[in-house]
Each structure stands twice: as C-alpha cells, then as structure tokens.
Amino acid sequence: MTHDLRSPGRRRALQCMAWGASGALWTFMGGVPMSQSVGDARAAAAKGFSFVQISDTHIGFDKAANSDVAGTLNETLTKIAGLSERPAFLLHTGDITHLSKQSEFDEADQLIGASRLAVHRVPGEHDVLDETTGQLYLARYGKGTRGDGWYSFDAGGAHFIGLVNVLRLEGGGLGRLGAEQLAWLAADLAARSASTPIVIFAHMPLWTIAGEWGWGTQDSAQALQLLARFGSVTILNGHIHQIAQKVEGNLVFHTARSTAFPQPEPGTAKAPGPKVVPAEQLRSFLGLTSVTVRGGAHGLAIADTTLAR
C-alpha cells in the first residue's frame, strides 16, 4: 500500500498538506481534525500531557543555507523553554548531526542537554555515516534498544514507538524498516489494547511524499497494517525539512520542520538538498512541533511554531 499525493482517487478520510506553513494547531478527536490558530494552543493543552518534537538539527553543517545551525537550535530550545507548560520530554526525529562525527554528537548533546528535558531519539541517515554504519550512534544512544536502535515506552497514557528506517536504504533512497524490526513491532503492538493511543516516531516519512527523492519508506505498508486496529495513531517524522500532514482513517501523519535549513518542495527543484533563502526569511522555515495527549479522549493536539513567531 503506497500513499501517493498524486493519486487523488485513493480512498482516504482526509488529506491535508501544508508546505512551509506557519504555526497551526490540529486537534484530533476520534480521527476528526479541527484546526485552530497556534495562539490557541495554550488552551488546548491545558491539563494535558505534552511533549515537543524537533528534527534535523544537522550540527556540523556550515554552508550557505545556514552557517549557524547551533544558533538556530539554541533559538528553538529557547522557544521550548518559554512554553506555558513544561513538556514531559523531547523527541528528536533524526539527523542530529550532519556527518556523524563524535564532535558533532558532543556538541548536540551539550546544546540539547541544557534544556534539562528527557530526550528520546531515533537516527537519521546523517547520523549513521560513520565507518561502522551507525555503531557510533548506538554506542551513545542505544542502551535499552533492540536491533539497530528501535524501542518503545509508555507515557501519558500513550504508547510510543521509535523506529529506524535509515539503514540499508533501497529503491532510490527510500527508507526501509526490514523484516526483523517489523517482527518486533508486531510483537510489541500485540500486547496493547486497541484503545491505546499509539505514537510512532521515525526519521523518514512512513508515507510516500516524493518517491523519486527518497521521501518515503518502501516497506511501510506492513507497519501500517499492524496499526490498523488502533483507534488513535499519530506518526511523527522528519527528513524533508518542511511540514507535510495527512489523515487517513485512524492514521495521522505529521512531518516536522528542521531547526537547521529548509529543503525545496517536491516539484520545485531537480533534487532535494539545502535551500538558500534570504537571511531575513530563514527563521520562518525553521521550527518545532508541540504535541498534547488528551487523557480519555484519545485525541492529540499538534501545534507547529516557527522561529519567526
């Protein structure tokens, strides 16, 4: 099963795309989305369990698209520190570093550690460029994980699952989960009731946004089938450095901005890669995502905020 934006005839409950959009709050109640301005996020989050997602920090990158990625990451963390309610933890959906160097991981840990938030991570393809193909990442962050670094945990009444889809890439760079991880996922989900809210987080999208650019996961259909019996499933990704959203039945897909640099929208360039924008516009393309789990209602509120706001 492939989810292709260019196939409008496919059956789906709702599809919503927001390329490079400014902050927006989506509250999902029983699979039905309701949109509000990001300024209303505080009321929506009241008394809820919340966490934040950042992605694609690319520490070590120093090209024209952003010569100070550490600075924009710090600005993002300042935004997080200024939230009205302290998040329970921070999810990082990969590409922590740009070249998988020990010094880059050290700098990222120092910067993010200053937030004093618990951090849950999954690797991006830029985090597994070392000669041992990801062992540097695993040695640092892999305690308690399985296989290439996948794992799960419970928090706030929801079940969180971190997946790894950036190793052994196939089909023009599309992500891949692999048989071992899919078998683990099936066993992990088998122990959960259908009423449990599920939050999946990975680096590459689990739906095909631009297959020719590798913006998708080639064996994601098997994972999505395992999630079909759950009433509330939210899937958070990074990799594409811009917002992409879709709701299909019980599945809510949300891909976050980068804190480092934007990438072009599909169809507007020959290939993906760092996009240079005027310096005064850069922060409108960078940002973070706040998510609130609503107890009892199985609804998640998702608020995107740019650094320009």
Side-chain angles (χ1 to χ4, degrees):
M1 178 175 62
T2 300
H3 307 286
D4 193 330
L5 296 178
R6 294 162 297 184
S7 301
R10 291 186 181 276
R11 296 184 61 186
R12 55 182 60 131
L14 174 70
Q15 177 175 301
C16 174
M17 295 293 297
W19 297 104
S22 59
L25 171 67
W26 290 87
T27 303
F28 297 95
M29 306 297 266
V32 179
M34 295 174 288
S35 179
Q36 305 174 46
S37 71
V38 77
D40 296 327
R42 182 175 302 175
K47 298 183 180 179
F49 168 84
S50 66
F51 61 93
V52 292
Q53 176 196 7
I54 63 172
S55 198
D56 298 273
T57 49
H58 284 273
I59 294 301
F61 180 87
D62 61 355
K63 301 297 188 287
N66 184 358
S67 61
D68 185 16
V69 294
T72 49
L73 172 56
N74 262 328
E75 290 181 42
T76 305
L77 295 170
T78 298
K79 286 273 189 182
I80 293 170
L83 293 172
S84 58
E85 293 189 20
R86 182 175 173 81
F89 53 79
L90 183 151
L91 287 186
H92 195 310
T93 46
D95 281 355
I96 301 165
T97 68
H98 193 60
L99 295 174
S100 307
K101 294 180 179 179
Q102 192 82 256
S103 60
E104 294 173 350
F105 284 116
D106 288 343
E107 183 176 5
D109 284 352
Q110 182 178 11
L111 292 168
I112 295 171
S115 71
R116 299 188 181 278
L117 289 171
V119 182
H120 299 282
R121 306 168 179 84
V122 287
E125 77 278 11
H126 282 265
D127 299 320
V128 296
L129 296 175
D130 56 292
E131 293 180 356
T132 56
T133 316
Q135 292 306 304
L136 186 62
Y137 173 92
L138 276 180
R140 185 178 287 255
Y141 305 121
K143 183 178 180 180
T145 67
R146 312 292 285 280
D148 292 321
W150 52 82
Y151 63 103
S152 65
F153 63 95
D154 296 304
H159 186 61
F160 291 78
I161 303 173
L163 299 178
V164 178
N165 57 357
V166 296
L167 295 168
R168 296 174 288 278
L169 304 183
E170 297 180 358
L174 286 170
R176 181 175 180 271
L177 296 166
E180 182 183 359
Q181 184 172 197
L182 286 166
W184 170 85
L185 178 62
D188 184 79
L189 290 172
R192 317 295 158 189
S193 71
S195 62
T196 303
I198 303 294
V199 180
I200 303 286
F201 59 106
H203 182 64
M204 291 183 168
L206 294 187
W207 53 300
T208 301
I209 296 172
E212 67 278 14
W213 282 6
W215 287 6
T217 300
Q218 59 95 10
D219 55 356
S220 63
Q222 297 170 63
L224 300 182
Q225 288 173 355
L226 295 171
L227 296 163
R229 70 181 179 88
F230 293 91
S232 173
V233 180
T234 303
I235 302 172
L236 304 175
N237 303 107
H239 188 56
I240 71 171
H241 295 219
Q242 56 201 274
I243 292 175
Q245 301 172 347
K246 180 174 74 161
V247 179
E248 184 168 332
N250 62 325
L251 305 176
V252 175
F253 300 84
H254 189 94
T255 300
R257 293 183 178 91
S258 167
T259 72
F261 54 82
Q263 292 202 77
E265 300 171 14
T268 65
K270 293 181 178 180
K275 177 181 177 180
V276 178
V277 299
E280 67 274 13
Q281 296 179 19
L282 176 61
R283 283 159 179 78
S284 67
F285 288 90
L286 310 179
L288 63 130
T289 300
S290 302
V291 182
T292 301
V293 180
R294 294 164 169 265
H298 293 178
L300 273 67
I302 300 177
D304 291 296
T305 306
T306 70
L307 297 189
R309 295 177 68 88

